[in-house]
Amino acid sequence: MERPQQYRFHQGEKILPFSNAEYDARLSKLRAEMAVQGVDACVFTSMHNIAYFSGFLYCSFGRPYGLVVTQTDSVTISAGIDAAQPWRRSHADNITYTDWQRNNYWRAILSLTGSGKTIGYEGDHLTLAQKSLLDEFLTPSTTTDIAPATMLQRMHKSEAEIALIRHGAQVADVGGYAIRDAIKPGLREIDIAMAGRDAMELEIAKRFPDAEYRDTWVWFQSGINTDGAHNPVTARQLERGDILSLNTFPMISGYYTALERTLFVQDVDPASLKIWEANVAAHEYGISLLKPGASCAEVTEKINTFFAERDLLQYRSFGYGHSFGVLSHYYGREAGLELREDIDTVLEPGMVISMEPMLTIPEGQPGAGGYREHDILVITEDDNENITGYPYGPATNVVG
C-alpha cells in the first residue's frame, strides 16, 4: 500500500469564532507587513498566532502544528489524529500530514512555501530543533522573526474581538458570584473552585452554543496559598478569618478573560483590612491612569509612588496589568502591553488591559497573605471602559 505524506480531509461545516471578514482583515494587515519586510511566506507554529489568523486552536500533545500564510494562500497544517476538525475550525484551507514518514510536517509546509524563499517565523516560539528542520527542508534564502510584528497587531483589538472579550468578562463575573455563594468554613479550595468553573462553562455554552469548550479554569486560594498569583488549587479547608483569592478564567475560542478578587471568610482583622483597603485604593488609582497617551512605564511608576508613600512598595510582587486577547496561562502572551517599568508602549484606543495590583505580606507579619484586585479595561478615545462587573472591597467580599 502506498501511503501519502499528506492529504486533505474536509468534512462537515466550518464554524468559526468570528466572521470571514474578520479573518480576511487580519490576514490583510499581516500581508501588508509581510510586503514591507519582504517576507514571501509566514510559517506560524504557536497556538496564539494560528488561532488569531485562522480560528483553529490546536491540541499539540507533542505533535507540531502550523499555519502557512503567503500573499495568496492561508493553510493550516494538522496531524492525522485530528481528522477533519482542524478544517472545520479553520478560516483557511487545511492539510493533514501523516506520521508514516518522519518530518512529513515539514514536507507539507514545503509544498506551500516552495524552497529558497524569505520565510517569516516566530522567534519566541520555534524551538532550535524545529528551526533546524525549517532550514533543512525549506532552504530559505533568509529568515525573519515575524513575532514582534504579529504581537503588535494582536495588541490592537477589533470591534468583534472587544465584543467577545466583553462576553468573557461577564462570564468571569458569573463564576465569581458562584464562588462567593459557595464559600463556607470547612469546605476545600477544590470544592469552591469547581463551583466557579462549572458555572462559567455552563454560561459559555449558553452564550456560544456552536463553540468548542475547553480550558476554562479557576484558581481559588486560601490562607498562605494566596501568596502567589498563580498558585494551583489545593484541598486546604477554609477557616474563619482566612484571606482568599478568587480567580476565574473563562476561555472562549482561545480568548482569555479574568476576574480576581480578595475576600475574607466571615471576619477580617484590622491589620488585614488596612492592607486590603490600601490595595483597593491603588487599584482605583491605577484604573484612573489608563487613558490614551499614557505609557505602560509611566502608569507603573505612578502606582509605585502610591505604594512607596504608604511603605508598601516592597510587598509588590509583579507588574500591574497586561493585555487581553488570544492568550492563556500555557500559551501566548502580548508582552509588549504590560504595566511594568521596562515597557514603554503607549496606550491607544482599542487596546484592552487589566489593572491588577497585588501585595504579598509574608507569613508571621500582621495582615499576612496575598491581596489582589483585577478589572478589565477597554481603552477608548479619551478614557477607559471598565467591563468587569463583580464588586471589589470589604463591603462585598467578607463572606461565608
Side-chain angles (χ1 to χ4, degrees):
M1 176 182 177
E2 185 176 346
R3 297 180 294 187
Q5 296 174 343
Q6 63 190 62
Y7 58 91
R8 282 175 167 83
F9 183 30
H10 300 171
Q11 65 177 8
E13 301 295 325
K14 283 186 176 288
I15 303 173
L16 298 170
F18 300 101
S19 68
N20 286 332
E22 173 73 12
Y23 290 106
D24 288 340
R26 296 179 187 185
L27 289 167
S28 179
K29 290 180 181 178
L30 172 63
R31 286 168 173 146
E33 182 63 28
M34 290 167 61
V36 169
Q37 297 197 31
V39 172
D40 297 309
C42 285
V43 177
F44 293 111
T45 52
S46 70
M47 294 180 77
H48 46 280
N49 266 335
I50 293 174
Y52 180 79
F53 289 111
S54 78
F56 171 50
L57 188 67
Y58 66 72
C59 176
S60 175
F61 232 103
R63 298 174 176 87
Y65 285 72
L67 169 68
V68 176
V69 178
T70 66
Q71 288 296 339
T72 57
D73 295 309
S74 173
V75 185
T76 52
I77 311 295
S78 60
I81 193 170
D82 295 322
Q85 184 265 356
W87 181 81
R88 291 194 296 272
R89 297 289 171 170
S90 295
H91 167 70
D93 190 6
N94 171 261
I95 290 177
T96 299
Y97 72 91
T98 71
D99 58 5
W100 297 329
Q101 184 179 2
R102 188 176 297 277
N103 294 321
N104 280 344
Y105 168 78
W106 285 106
R107 293 184 180 93
I109 290 174
L110 175 62
S111 73
L112 299 167
T113 64
S115 61
K117 302 297 178 63
T118 298
I119 301 297
Y121 71 100
E122 295 172 87
D124 59 356
H125 184 268
L126 194 67
T127 65
L128 291 174
Q130 291 290 7
K131 178 60 166 60
S132 177
L133 290 169
L134 183 155
D135 292 337
E136 176 184 346
F137 279 85
L138 307 190
T139 59
S141 59
T142 186
T143 56
T144 298
D145 184 5
I146 200 71
T150 57
M151 181 183 66
L152 183 62
Q153 179 175 339
R154 296 195 317 272
M155 279 162 44
H156 295 81
K157 311 305 176 193
S158 68
E159 291 183 6
E161 287 182 283
I162 292 174
L164 183 63
I165 292 168
R166 193 183 302 275
H167 275 289
Q170 293 166 0
V171 172
D173 289 342
V174 169
Y177 285 113
I179 285 174
R180 189 179 71 177
D181 290 345
I183 292 171
K184 290 182 177 60
L187 290 184
R188 303 171 300 172
E189 291 178 2
I190 185 63
D191 300 320
I192 310 301
M194 287 191 293
R197 184 202 63 209
D198 290 352
M200 289 192 292
E201 289 188 331
L202 290 170
E203 185 68 17
I204 294 170
K206 181 173 72 174
R207 291 173 182 243
F208 298 94
D210 295 325
E212 295 175 319
Y213 310 117
R214 56 188 287 191
D215 302 330
T216 291
W217 85 103
V218 168
W219 282 325
F220 181 77
Q221 302 136 349
S222 64
I224 194 172
N225 294 335
T226 65
D227 61 356
H230 296 167
N231 293 350
V233 174
T234 76
R236 182 185 182 278
Q237 291 184 317
L238 275 57
E239 300 176 4
R240 185 183 186 93
D242 270 346
I243 185 172
L244 308 174
S245 285
L246 177 161
N247 310 270
T248 62
F249 305 108
M251 293 292 295
I252 304 173
S253 299
Y255 276 73
Y256 160 99
T257 48
L259 167 72
E260 300 173 9
R261 290 290 185 257
T262 300
L263 305 92
F264 277 79
V265 180
Q266 296 182 333
D267 289 318
V268 53
D269 64 274
S272 298
L273 181 62
K274 182 178 179 180
I275 302 296
W276 190 6
E277 289 176 336
N279 201 55
V280 165
H283 180 62
E284 293 175 338
Y285 176 55
I287 289 173
S288 75
L289 300 174
L290 297 179
K291 297 181 179 181
S295 76
C296 293
E298 175 186 44
V299 171
T300 300
E301 290 297 345
K302 288 182 177 179
I303 304 174
N304 281 346
T305 299
F306 182 93
F307 276 136
E309 290 172 347
R310 291 154 180 80
D311 195 26
L312 293 171
L313 183 58
Q314 65 270 33
Y315 302 120
R316 170 196 158 189
S317 55
F318 60 92
Y320 295 118
H322 57 78
S323 183
F324 283 84
V326 184
L327 52 96
S328 172
H329 64 310
Y330 63 89
Y331 67 85
R333 182 166 173 245
E334 294 170 7
L337 187 54
E338 296 190 1
L339 298 175
R340 299 182 349 191
E341 291 87 343
D342 58 344
I343 303 295
D344 295 321
T345 302
V346 174
L347 298 181
E348 298 177 9
M351 291 179 170
V352 182
I353 192 168
S354 62
M355 175 51 58
E356 50 177 313
M358 179 174 181
L359 298 173
T360 298
I361 311 300
E363 282 292 293
Q365 294 189 26
Y371 300 76
R372 187 169 68 262
E373 314 297 341
H374 176 298
D375 287 15
I376 301 174
L377 295 305
V378 178
I379 304 302
T380 61
E381 289 300 320
D382 56 5
D383 203 341
N384 67 62
E385 178 192 0
N386 191 335
I387 61 173
T388 295
Y390 184 99
Y392 53 78
T396 306
N397 292 317
V398 179
V399 299

